[in-house]
Amino acid sequence: MPVAVNFRLYLITDRRLARGGNLLSAVEHALAGGVHAVQLREKDLGSRDLLELALKIRALTSAYGAKLLINDRIDIALAADADGVHMGRNSIPTRDARRLMGPDRLIGCSTHTAKQLAEAEAGGADFAVFGPVYFTPSKAAFGPPLGVDTLRAACASTRIPVFALGGVGAENINEVIAAGANGVSMISAILAAKDPRQAASDINLSIKNAFLRHTQGQEEWS
């Protein structure tokens, strides 16, 4: 049985964006603001440094009752007792990740097409991130934004939760939730904010209000 995806706001780390380079402080403030899932994504770190950072963030997420996923590195995820792993397009197949991680840990996948989303679901992913939906400088090298219509079609094509990524902010959260997204995934909108706690709180409120507009209000909020 799939692991429950009980969060709406999925924070992806990039320590270069944290004010003063203090990623731990930014993550803790974001958790205090209502982030309930963090993906540690620091690809340039060596294994020892990455594990050391993962253990520190594991302590923070545990203190706040939040989930921790490690980007790509199943070994680090297991060593840090993380809640799961997030697989990119160049990672090992999702099916193999599931075999290594077991049935009780989360597996998220980065996807950019409906075909990739279907592959993630077939391989045993619990959820997927889909994007970039809107233009964002960090994703410009990967081509033009996919747009809301493509997001809507992707969400309708799968049974697993989909998180919208790329240029998502308070001004368009309502639009991506209306398109069928389960939640949103963010990096700079929170980490680079002057006040990550307030930014996370404001984004959570926007997500909640968007769901209330498009459902009967029977949702669980993170």
Side-chain angles (χ1 to χ4, degrees), residues 85-183:
V85 67
H86 190 99
M87 312 307 289
R89 294 310 305 163
N90 295 319
S91 302
I92 67 171
T94 309
R95 195 175 303 279
D96 293 320
R98 173 58 69 197
R99 176 174 54 82
L100 294 168
M101 293 295 290
D104 300 324
R105 295 183 195 262
L106 284 167
I107 294 181
C109 287
S110 293
T111 63
H112 312 287
T113 67
K115 180 181 178 182
Q116 293 172 3
L117 188 54
E119 291 171 350
E121 181 179 359
D126 297 294
F127 69 95
V129 167
F130 189 85
V133 179
Y134 305 101
F135 174 79
T136 178
S138 65
K139 300 295 182 183
F142 299 99
L146 300 175
V148 176
D149 289 341
T150 302
L151 171 67
R152 180 178 295 106
C155 292
S157 73
T158 185
R159 293 171 295 177
I160 63 175
V162 175
F163 289 76
L165 172 70
V168 181
E171 71 281 0
N172 51 36
I173 284 175
N174 183 65
E175 191 173 43
V176 299
I177 298 303
N182 180 78

Side-chain angles (χ1 to χ4, degrees), residues 5-8 182 207-208 211 217-222:
V5 179
N6 58 354
F7 50 89
R8 302 286 185 187
N182 180 78
I207 296 171
K208 178 177 180 178
F211 271 99
Q218 303 299 314
E219 300 292 339
E220 293 291 333
W221 304 114
S222 301

Side-chain angles (χ1 to χ4, degrees), residues 38 40 47-62 66-71 73-85 101 105:
V38 176
L40 179 59
S47 297
R48 287 180 180 272
D49 289 339
L50 183 61
L51 177 57
E52 181 179 352
L53 182 58
L55 290 169
K56 291 177 180 177
I57 294 184
R58 169 76 286 181
L60 289 175
T61 54
S62 294
K67 299 281 194 281
L68 172 63
L69 290 87
I70 309 297
N71 180 269
R73 295 290 301 271
I74 292 174
D75 56 338
I76 300 295
L78 293 174
D81 194 26
D83 297 286
V85 67
M101 293 295 290
R105 295 183 195 262

